[in-house]
Amino acid sequence: MSLSVIGYGMCVIGAALGISLAASNVANGMARQPEVQGRLFTVFILAAAFIEALCLIGFVVAIM
């Protein structure tokens, strides 16, 4: 059971790094071109949702 907890912890760290990297790049893109803010925000929300979905899959695998 402890190995699955370690695996899920690594999954959460990876998801946190992925979302923070995406947020950083979106903020950089908005600063460079404010007129594309809406499209960048939409892409960021989709990317964050996909990253979180992968993290939840890791959670289910860790439980199994």
Side-chain angles (χ1 to χ4, degrees), residues 2-20:
S2 65
L3 287 178
S4 63
V5 172
I6 292 171
Y8 181 62
M10 291 173 57
C11 181
V12 169
I13 290 171
L17 289 173
I19 291 175
S20 65

Side-chain angles (χ1 to χ4, degrees), residues 1-40:
M1 183 71 179
S2 65
L3 287 178
S4 63
V5 172
I6 292 171
Y8 181 62
M10 291 173 57
C11 181
V12 169
I13 290 171
L17 289 173
I19 291 175
S20 65
L21 183 64
S24 171
N25 288 331
V26 166
N28 191 16
M30 284 183 197
R32 290 176 185 262
Q33 291 183 330
E35 64 271 5
V36 295
Q37 178 182 3
R39 284 187 284 168
L40 284 176

